[in-house]
Amino acid sequence: MPLIDRFLGRLVKRGRLRITHADGKVAELGAADPAFRDVAIRFTDRATPGRIVRHPALGAAEAFMAGTLVIDQGDIRDLVNLLKGNTPWERGGALKPSLPLRLAGEMIHRLDRVNMARRSKRNVAHHYDLSDRLYDLFLDADRQYSCAYFTNPDSTLEQAQADKKAHIAAKLLLKPGMRVLDIGCGWGGMALYLHAKTGAEVLGVTLSEEQLKVARARAEAAGVADKVKFELIDYRAVTGQFDRIVSVGMFEHVGPPHYKAFFRKCRDLLADDGVMLLHTIGRMGVPGVTDTFTTKYIFPGGYNPALSEIVRGYEGTKLFPTDIEVLRVHYALTIDHWYDRTVAAKDQIVALYDERFYRMWTFYLAGAAAAFRTGGMCNYQVQLSKSRLTVPLTRDYIGEAEAGFRG
């Protein structure tokens, strides 16, 4: 039996996987299970299986991108769900590279996540300065490129993203005229929402030139450019004082060596009764490393922190942790929508880039959704205050304010 058949055979017990090798030999693994779709894959050369065994995630991704791993039944999401679903995080998982590759990867990862200002801008541009058209094809109309908030699992993507903004706005305890800093403002949707709903004045900062253009154009079109401003600046260079700070989907690019500096900077920028809300992807277990596929192709310099790393980051800053919420599975539901929209827009994406890019993007989305559905990833919302009395003593205010924003 080929090595990869034995390797995958140890993993796939639920669901059926059919493997056709380059020499025509076929292996049938697993057993039918209603939780998983049947999947059939085919290798077009003899070298690909060995590369996958040595480095499962990266080897499979690059083979799929190159077309040497072909999916004849099902799609890449079905394959990823089958493999990850058989090796859930709570049971330890199993898809790991060989020990030498793992040790080398950890060393590279620790160097890669030292995000000094110049490198941070380059890393951001790698992902966020892709074609505007690409993001229009799979995101919601407001271009919220972060975890949505599903008050109902059947919510549309647009509704879930609107509910996310309401949930965050409620935790910020905003009042008209307050000054808000949005660190990592994306295409401006959160900043514009906060101003529209509360009258707060917002400064959004980003390192993406493409996002900056769109955000400024949106503020101009809405007639609020004097109240909602956007700047191309690293958060470390921001000056002034703010009543509130919000950061959504940006902390993943800060890097653990800079966590304390990040929180110290936020404390310095906050008014004495200031409140901040950090929304970030996180890992449910101990600190770890970012997988090689993600750092090589998707988010160079990116890292999803363990909760303990976030806590160590703000310890010693005299910021009060006033609320910590764990959003489980919400991001899996979000990415399901992104994946479906990406597949529906295949022709347009291939026209923008090529087939290889399209396969890379679907692999990225399929793997990300599985990481939140059966892997060890979640989202954390961490609320911090400079005063112990600014935030109400119970959480009732969140639901009450949120209902008002949603109504």
Side-chain angles (χ1 to χ4, degrees):
M1 180 182 290
L3 180 60
I4 195 165
D5 293 356
R6 297 199 300 273
F7 175 72
L8 293 176
R10 290 196 297 269
L11 303 179
V12 180
K13 303 301 182 184
R14 300 173 56 210
R16 291 189 293 203
L17 176 64
R18 177 186 175 91
I19 304 172
T20 302
H21 291 270
D23 61 5
K25 292 180 180 177
V26 176
E28 301 273 1
L29 307 177
D33 190 304
F36 301 100
R37 293 181 178 178
D38 291 351
V39 178
I41 63 174
R42 172 168 45 90
F43 299 119
T44 64
D45 64 18
R46 296 175 182 272
T48 293
R51 287 195 290 267
I52 294 175
V53 170
R54 288 191 296 274
H55 206 318
L58 182 63
E62 293 185 332
F64 180 65
M65 290 159 59
T68 58
L69 185 164
V70 179
I71 302 177
D72 291 324
Q73 182 179 357
D75 65 6
I76 188 61
R77 179 166 61 182
D78 296 329
L79 175 60
V80 170
N81 285 344
L82 177 65
L83 297 177
K84 294 286 286 184
N86 270 275
T87 57
W89 172 78
E90 58 268 33
R91 296 219 311 264
L95 293 172
K96 297 178 180 178
S98 62
L99 182 59
L101 287 173
R102 195 157 67 243
L103 293 174
E106 289 180 4
M107 182 178 298
I108 293 169
H109 167 78
R110 295 184 192 284
L111 292 173
D112 188 54
R113 65 189 191 180
V114 179
N115 286 320
M116 304 308 289
R118 185 177 298 177
R119 173 182 265 189
S120 292
K121 189 175 188 305
R122 188 169 63 246
N123 288 343
V124 165
H126 177 90
H127 192 89
Y128 297 102
D129 284 353
L130 292 170
S131 168
D132 278 352
R133 179 64 179 147
L134 171 67
Y135 291 106
D136 283 338
L137 289 170
F138 76 93
L139 297 180
D140 64 302
D142 195 41
R143 282 202 193 172
Q144 289 293 306
Y145 194 22
S146 58
C147 177
Y149 185 63
F150 284 81
T151 58
N152 184 323
D154 296 325
S155 291
T156 65
L157 180 60
E158 279 70 20
Q159 184 63 58
Q161 290 292 12
D163 289 345
K164 183 265 300 289
K165 287 177 284 189
H167 196 54
I168 289 174
K171 292 183 178 183
L172 287 171
L173 297 140
L174 289 163
K175 297 176 183 176
M178 279 188 168
R179 292 195 71 214
V180 181
L181 174 64
D182 182 355
I183 302 177
C185 62
W187 291 278
M190 179 62 71
L192 291 165
Y193 178 91
L194 295 180
H195 173 72
K197 291 292 185 179
T198 71
E201 297 183 13
V202 188
L203 170 64
V205 298
T206 178
L207 292 178
S208 167
E209 295 182 11
E210 294 303 315
Q211 288 184 333
L212 179 71
K213 292 176 188 175
V214 173
R216 283 180 169 173
R218 293 181 67 187
E220 288 284 354
V224 296
D226 60 329
K227 300 294 184 182
V228 184
K229 300 178 181 179
F230 299 99
E231 298 292 342
L232 188 72
I233 186 172
D234 191 286
Y235 72 92
R236 287 166 279 207
V238 176
T239 59
Q241 195 162 72
F242 300 86
D243 302 292
R244 302 291 185 261
I245 295 176
V246 63
S247 184
V248 179
M250 175 272 178
F251 195 69
E252 299 90 330
H253 305 287
V254 170
H258 306 285
Y259 287 170
K260 282 196 177 295
F262 174 87
F263 285 110
R264 286 196 202 103
K265 182 63 177 180
C266 289
R267 187 184 189 283
D268 290 344
L269 292 169
L270 276 175
D272 288 343
D273 59 350
V275 176
M276 71 173 288
L277 193 284
L278 178 72
H279 172 112
T280 180
I281 296 171
R283 58 188 69 233
M284 292 186 282
V286 299
V289 298
T290 305
D291 69 276
T292 308
F293 165 74
T294 300
T295 56
K296 183 175 181 178
Y297 290 102
I298 308 299
F299 292 114
Y303 175 70
N304 302 322
L307 184 58
S308 61
E309 293 175 293
I310 299 173
V311 172
R312 281 198 296 272
Y314 67 71
E315 281 180 340
T317 63
K318 301 298 184 181
L319 287 169
F320 290 92
T322 45
D323 193 83
I324 297 176
E325 183 175 6
V326 183
L327 303 181
R328 295 161 290 106
V329 190
H330 287 261
Y331 217 160
L333 297 172
T334 305
I335 299 171
D336 286 345
H337 285 279
W338 293 349
Y339 182 92
D340 290 340
R341 293 182 180 202
T342 295
V343 171
K346 177 181 179 181
D347 291 345
Q348 294 100 305
I349 294 173
V350 171
L352 277 174
Y353 295 100
D354 54 27
E355 286 273 358
R356 186 177 184 276
F357 180 91
Y358 171 78
R359 288 194 290 265
M360 178 193 75
W361 205 256
T362 53
F363 187 95
Y364 150 57
L365 293 175
F372 291 95
R373 179 167 283 111
T374 55
M377 295 296 160
C378 65
N379 271 80
Y380 293 118
Q381 286 191 350
V382 181
Q383 183 195 59
L384 299 165
S385 177
K386 211 166 176 180
S387 164
R388 71 176 74 226
L389 298 176
T390 301
V391 176
L393 299 182
T394 70
R395 301 183 85 247
D396 296 349
Y397 74 95
I398 299 174
E400 293 167 1
E402 192 174 340
F405 291 137
R406 291 175 63 193

